[in-house]
Each structure stands twice: as C-alpha cells, then as structure tokens.
Amino acid sequence: MEDTSEAIHPDKAGLPVVQETWNSFGHMIRWQEHNGVYLCYGERSHAALIFLSDGEFRFKVFQGEYPDLSTTIAILPRTETSQPEVEENEENLVFTTSVIQVLLNRQTFALTVLDKNGQEIARQETVSWSPRGATNGLFNMQEGSHFYGLGEKSSFLDKRGERYTMWNTDVYAPHMPEIEALYESIPLLLHMQGETTYGIFLDNPGRSDFDMRSHGVAYTIGCSTGEYDIYFIYGPELKDVIRRYTAMTGRISLPPKWALGYHQSRYSYMNQSEVMQLARDFREKDIPCDVIYLDIHYMEGYRVFTFDKIRFPDPKGMISELKDMGIRIVPIVDPGVKKDPKYPVYREGVQEDHFCRYLEGDIYFGDVWPGTSAFPDFTDNRTAEWWGQLHEYYTSLGIEGIWNDMNEPAVFNTLKTMDLDVIHKNNGKPMTHEELHNLYGLLMSKATYEGMKDHMNGRRPFILTRAGYSGIQRYAAIWTGDNRSFWEHMAMAIPMVLNMGLSGLPFAGPDIGGFAHHTSAQLLVRWTQMGAFFPYCRNHSSLGTTRQEPWSFGEQIEGVLREYIGLRYRWLPHLYNLFHEASQTGMPIIRPLILEYPRDPQVTNLCDQFLVGADVLIAPIYRPDTYCRAVYLPEGIWHDYWTGERHQGGKHILVDAPLDVLPMFIRASSIVVEGSLRQYTGDQADDSITFHIYGAIADDSFTAAYSLYEDDGETFAYENGKHSKLDIRVQGETDGLRLSMRYAHREYVAVRDQLRFTLRQPEFTPSEIVGLESITLDDLAEGKTGWSMDEQSGDILIQVLDTEQNEWILKV
Ligand code: GLC
C-alpha cells in the first residue's frame, strides 16, 4: 500500500467536509403558457405547472427550455386537463380553478394553495436541490396536522413524527417501527388538518424520503436522484383525495371471486402427495379453502417455469383434481432466472437480450434462491411481453394465479438489490437501476398479469406481489412480506394495511399467523379472526417453524378457526361488494375510522380497530391471554354482532372476548348482506343471501340502503354489462316501515329463487306485512315465502321471491 500513490489518497487526508450549498429557483424571470402547461422560468431553475382537474395539479422542476413531461407508468394516460384562470400581480402568479387557488410567488417560487374561501390549505415554502442531484420540497405543517398514506409502512396509523424512505427492500429482519423502507413504495402523503385534507404524490421511482419528524413546523419530501415531479391532490375530505388519486393511478380490476377466499400456504408444501393430502384435510375437516400455494420447492432447482419431476410427477393431473375439489394452485414466480446454459428460459433470455446489463454490455448476475441468476429487464416492453407469454407454461397446466416474490428485486448481497449502475433499457430511454429501482416489482407483476390474461380465455387472473410502486393496484394484490409470529406484528398489520388502503392499495393483507418464528394456538386464533375480514386472507409460514394449518393445535382451536374462516365465506357477498366499490371509486375495503368519521378527534390515530366498509366495526384481540378489551364506538348506535346488544356510540365500551369471540359491531340504520356457508367460493353455485337490517324504527327519520353488486365472479363479462345491481331500501314511516327491492341492472342472474331479510332487533313489532303471509319459523326454514318473528332473538325474518322489483309495508 505504502509504495503506490494510493498512500496519499485524498480520502485519507481527513479534510473537513465541504458544506454543500443547496440551490433554489431564485426569482421568476418570465412565464409562459404552452398547450395548458405553465412554464415559469427562474434564475437557476424552472417549474412547470399543469392542472389535471380543478382539484389537482402537477408541479415539476426542470432545467432548459422545455420540461420532459412524460410520467412513470403509475400515472394513467388522460386526455383532458383543466384550464385555470391566470392572473399576475406584484407578488404572485395566481391560478384559479372552481375549487382552489394556487399562488406561485414571483420572488421565491413559494407555492400556496388556498381553498374557495381563501383559507390556506397547503404551502410549499421552498424547493431546493444539492449539487449532487438530490431535491427537497419543504412544506408547512401545523399543530393539528395528521399524516396518512405512504403505502406499506410500519408503526402507527398517523405518520406525524415519523420519517420514511421509499426504496423497495427485502426486510427479513423483524419489521419494527424504525424500519423506514419495506417492499412497496407508494410515495403518496396525505395531510389532514382541521377539515381539509390534501395529498402530495411524488412520481419518482428512485429513492425518496418523507420526513414529518425533523423540521419542526415543516415536513419535507425529497428525492435523491431523478426529477422532482409532484402532484397536488385536493380533498377537501380524505375520501376525495383517495378518489382523485386512484383516478390518476388506477383502481383494482375485479379479482376472481376465488381470490377472496381463504388461502393456505407454507414454505413449502414439498410434494404432490403432501399437497393432495392438505386439500383432502381441508375438505374432510369442513374448513373452507380456495387456494393452496406452491413455494419455491415445486421447481426444478428453483428454475421458474418448471416443476420438479420427482416431487411433482403430474402437475396437470394434480391441478385438475384439486380444481374438482374447488381448490386452485398458485405457484411462486421470482424474477431471478438461473444461470444455466441448458435451461431454455435462461438461454432464450440471453439470446434475445432480455436481461439487465451494465452499460459495458455484461449481463448483471446476482445470487438468489437458484444461485447465480440473471434478471429480466421489465422496463423494456419487448421483455415484459416475453415474460408474460412464458406464463402459458402455467396456464396450460390449469393455473390461474401467480405469486410474484423477491421482485424488489431482492438479491443476496450487502446492497440487498441489483447494482445501482445497471442500465435499464426503459423503452429507448435508458436509465440506471438507481433511478428506476421502485418500478421493478410493478413492471414484473404487470407483465405477469397481462401474460396470464392473454392465455385465460376471458377468465380473470390473480396476481400476488411483494414489491410494487403506485399503480400496482391495477395488477396485483399485495401481501406485507416476511412478518413474524409476534403479537406485535399482528397489531402492526392493522395500521399497515389500513394505510395501504388509503394509498390506493385496497387488496392487501399480512401472512396470517406470522411467517417467521413460531405461532401459538392463541395467536393463530386471534390473527385468523382478524384476517377473516382483511381483504387478502392467507395463512403462510416459513420453513422450520411451528406448523400453522388450522388443525395444528387440536380440536378446540380447529373449531374456532373453522367458524371464522366460515364467517369470511358467509360474508363474501358483502366483501365482494366492497371490492366492486374499490374498483369503481378507489375506496378501501377495510378502513380506519378516520375515513368515515373525519371530525372525530378520538380516531385520528386509532388503529387497533377498523371498519369493513362504512358500517361494520371490528376490534380484534391482539395480546395474549386477553379476554376483554376497550372498544371505541363512534357516534351513532351500534349493535353487537353476536348478541344484538345496542350501544350508544361516541364513547369507549368494555367488551368481553373469550377465545372464540371477535368483537364486531354493526351501525344501526345500516344493512349488511350475508351469503351461505360454503367450502369454496364456487361451491354449489348457491347465491342465496340475507340482508340484515339493523336498528329499524317505525319513524320517518329511519332510512337504510344497500346496493348489491353481483356478477359471475370469474370472467370479464361484467365489463360488457353482465352484472347486476340490486337496490334495497328501508324507509321508516310513522306507522311502520317500507321495505323495497329493485334491480337497477340485471344482466347477471344469480342462482337463487328467494331473497331473505332479517330485521335485527327492530324497535317495534309489526302486526302485519302487507302482501306477505305470517308463517312459522319452520315454514320459513322449509323455503316458504312469508314472514315470522323469532321470539328468542326478537328478529323479524322475511322471505320473498327474488323478482325484478317489489315493495312491502310493515305495519306497527
Ligand atoms: C420470501 C417470501 C416468503 C417465501 C420465501 C421463500 O422470504 O417473502 O413468503 O416463503 O421467500 O420463497
């Protein structure tokens, strides 16, 4: 060392660190409008403003004469923009739309957003950048600021006081509040203050940071490479921001109904006979199940698009036999392709130039399960197409769902991912991995979704992914990666999945029971009770851990698990309805209370209970040996789902919860729908349903409504109108209640003749129901139409024909 010049390497001299000077725009020199783009030129840099609608605008920093206005794939193409009125005064350039006013300061480029009443909603004080290419926006925050969104992050619901990084990362270490980056990156921050909420979306797939901790009365959003390209999304309500954000980045496409069932996984079910036995166990034990996963051991030496011939001698036969039992197989597919010149996928990938390379031309190789592997460059449409088409291998075996894992991409090295200077082709605009890292998982799942869809004859594919970026919701469900069988991880899954829902990712859930470490009987019960109401419901566990199939802890525990998995199946019509709503409006399926009760100060950070849709409140037990808990009921009257007991809301109550009870409450004046218990979603194709009407009163003030969406649950025929919408309305009257049903649309006809209604403990007893005969409970059970009162529960049961339209008057 001493005898070369390296001995005097500058790094060894211990020179003082030179203070970096961060630059800002300087004052505005001129501005101009060009095709609806407002170009504002500063002394040192420029900003482009585009109004996408009256409540949304894009703000992009650029150099040179004209900005590159392309976006990442997160943003859906859209044709219309909105034209604000523009005025210029001494101080500001002022943009006015029908809902907001945006002031761009001509001295400093400070950006202020006001609402219609002139109230300040948001203020970006400065944007500054370092000579090394990082950019930072500094935004005002107030005493009462609350922060949500940011996708898959640890810690509590309200992100005030937290700091996070967007950099898709494979984190096997226990997920702790201090972990700043997990597998998914959704650079969307929701800021709620008083009665106004807005969102800022930073469309940058490189590393970015959101810091709500370090700057006192300000928060920052910054990126270390690439462009500072933000979208301001106005509310005023949280729901409005979600609606606008998901209109911009897309909503879920309706999954096949089977994907809403219970899924069973383990790393790994090792061979065909183990898988078949598992399926038979579910059926023999009457525990509903729709999906079994095949983890990496199904492959031949971890080569994707292969089955190991010894472990799985007849995959096609196995898959078809399972399908007859109502069980689908979802195999794992990782991006790493084993370096093996005899392996056709690798050979073709090299020969057709599909793998990521360095600038100098060498293929990038990294170590993952198969050993040395190459990684497809999904940023190139040609490669995405190739990868998608490879899935014909799976569809030809009868497979309809794929599990994408390790797609951060994860690599077994100290960086945990691909070298940052690997070049992505990016459809003719080459960029480094450092700049595009967070897109890798999204592009892989998009290619997979599209390839599967091409080969499924109009049936809906299901894709599960670990990594993603904004827009991933259009292609895949997301599970929250390698959690552990810790009570703390069960509790943390609630705010994590709730914030994912607020960030446009409604179809999400954790590994139920915990992946790593060893589950226990109680933990599995409590987690399954909660998981039964999570949008994505899969039990998965790691190699070498305590088994956690539902029967792993004896008959008593098995019984409780059977009941709750069964409960999910009975609630499928309601869940599917919520999935449909999510696909139309972007509203999450499970919701933090703040979404429905934004003015209730008790719920700003409430995340040990959640809502399913708007009206069902779930309060899981998330500590061991705990058989009672405090539950916060927001305003209104709430019915205990199990006992029917009424509670006045706006306060906490103490609820008993023995091991077989998940505390659940239904809001009075609401309707929920339940279907029949079944062993798998397509079982018997019996679509019989019961609408449960809560807290009916014979008074004008009482109204309740429900719109039930139905379709075949399997194909895309719904896109061509083959679905139905059944509107149920209940209106109180001084001397009774009017109950009506009407199909607003009925091009899908469900398999049933009758509809059932239950008035759950109404506050009056009808003396008659005009047009319906009073019959006995036994007659009802035999399928006769009519009505009856259940003396024991106080419920009124009604059974009618499932016709186009009808109405009944219940008289006091
Ligand atoms: C990763 C996944 C996990 C999977 C394992 C083996 O750790 O997150 O779910 O079981 O890889 O494929």
Side-chain angles (χ1 to χ4, degrees), residues 32-101:
Q32 71 185 63
E33 190 255 8
H34 183 77
N35 289 338
V37 183
Y38 297 89
L39 302 167
C40 307
Y41 296 90
E43 288 174 284
R44 290 178 289 274
S45 195
H46 325 307
L49 265 92
I50 306 170
F51 284 78
L52 305 166
S53 75
D54 281 3
E56 291 154 287
F57 64 90
R58 177 176 178 192
F59 175 94
K60 178 164 185 176
V61 178
F62 71 99
Q63 305 287 334
E65 249 327 272
Y66 202 79
D68 171 3
L69 290 175
S70 58
T71 69
T72 69
I73 189 149
I75 305 284
L76 290 173
R78 74 205 243 173
T79 42
E80 80 290 5
T81 53
S82 121
Q83 289 298 316
E85 277 176 32
V86 190
E87 272 173 74
E88 199 173 355
N89 61 33
E90 280 266 297
E91 224 181 318
N92 294 307
L93 201 57
V94 182
F95 304 86
T96 309
T97 77
S98 63
V99 291
I100 51 171
Q101 195 163 58

Side-chain angles (χ1 to χ4, degrees), residues 202-495:
L202 169 66
D203 190 17
N204 181 317
R207 184 186 291 272
S208 61
D209 295 288
F210 291 74
D211 188 350
M212 289 70 62
R213 175 189 298 153
S214 323
H215 305 281
V217 290
Y219 68 91
T220 57
I221 296 181
C223 46
S224 44
T225 54
E227 318 249 15
Y228 186 81
D229 189 0
I230 60 166
Y231 291 74
F232 172 89
I233 308 164
Y234 179 56
E237 298 293 343
L238 186 50
K239 282 191 175 175
D240 298 316
V241 183
I242 297 171
R243 188 173 37 76
R244 290 180 202 271
Y245 169 75
T246 55
M248 191 157 98
T249 61
R251 296 171 178 147
I252 56 167
S253 53
L254 263 185
K257 224 179 204 172
W258 59 263
L260 273 60
Y262 172 82
H263 299 201
Q264 183 65 50
S265 186
R266 172 125 178 132
Y267 170 31
S268 297
Y269 294 121
M270 291 294 188
N271 54 52
Q272 192 162 329
S273 55
E274 188 180 357
V275 170
M276 288 311 301
Q277 188 52 46
L278 183 73
R280 282 192 291 270
D281 285 344
F282 272 101
R283 292 297 173 252
E284 276 158 25
K285 294 173 189 295
D286 280 333
I287 300 176
C289 176
D290 266 85
V291 187
I292 292 175
Y293 284 69
L294 297 183
D295 208 325
I296 53 176
H297 290 95
Y298 79 87
M299 295 177 267
E300 209 176 284
Y302 314 118
R303 288 169 186 81
V304 285
F305 309 101
T306 67
F307 264 89
D308 184 292
K309 291 188 190 60
I310 297 165
R311 296 174 195 266
F312 290 89
D314 179 18
K316 194 166 187 168
M318 171 186 81
I319 287 158
S320 131
E321 206 179 326
L322 288 171
K323 211 172 254 181
D324 291 343
M325 297 167 73
I327 291 186
R328 284 176 167 81
I329 283 291
V330 172
I332 197 167
V333 178
D334 294 349
V337 173
K338 186 177 176 66
K339 182 176 187 221
D340 167 6
K342 294 200 289 282
Y343 168 35
V345 177
Y346 175 72
R347 221 166 44 216
E348 207 173 286
V350 174
Q351 283 164 348
E352 297 178 5
D353 188 20
H354 289 305
F355 295 126
C356 296
R357 293 176 185 271
Y358 292 101
L359 183 64
E360 295 76 12
D362 294 341
I363 292 179
Y364 167 78
F365 290 106
D367 264 8
V368 268
W369 309 121
T372 309
S373 304
F375 294 81
D377 186 0
F378 299 111
T379 68
D380 191 11
N381 286 346
R382 200 181 51 90
T383 296
E385 171 78 17
W386 170 68
W387 188 261
Q389 296 310 313
L390 287 174
H391 287 77
E392 195 178 354
Y393 171 75
Y394 294 111
T395 54
S396 69
L397 295 173
I399 286 170
E400 300 180 40
I402 296 288
W403 170 19
N404 284 163
D405 186 22
M406 305 289 276
N407 51 348
E408 292 71 28
V411 181
F412 302 151
N413 59 23
T414 46
L415 200 61
K416 293 181 149 201
T417 190
M418 193 179 281
D419 284 353
L420 301 184
D421 55 357
V422 165
I423 300 289
H424 290 293
K425 295 194 191 74
N426 200 28
N427 295 320
K429 272 171 64 184
M431 289 173 94
T432 61
H433 185 69
E434 183 175 20
E435 293 164 293
L436 296 183
H437 174 76
N438 290 338
L439 281 183
Y440 196 83
L442 162 60
L443 293 173
M444 177 184 186
S445 291
K446 176 176 185 286
T448 306
Y449 178 84
E450 288 169 354
M452 290 291 287
K453 192 174 169 186
D454 275 355
H455 296 288
M456 283 176 58
N457 291 326
R459 296 169 71 77
R460 303 174 209 167
F462 165 69
I463 313 298
L464 176 70
T465 185
R466 194 170 73 172
Y469 180 71
S470 299
I472 185 66
Q473 66 270 20
R474 311 194 297 252
Y475 310 106
I478 297 133
W479 101 101
T480 59
D482 295 344
N483 62 6
R484 303 207 167 189
S485 300
F486 296 166
W487 288 93
E488 292 82 352
H489 279 194
M490 176 193 161
M492 199 164 66
I494 310 174

Side-chain angles (χ1 to χ4, degrees), residues 144-162:
S145 290
H146 300 285
F147 295 98
Y148 307 105
L150 297 171
E152 182 191 61
K153 295 294 176 200
S154 53
S155 203
F156 293 99
L157 184 71
D158 185 350
K159 300 308 188 189
R160 195 188 167 105
E162 304 286 356

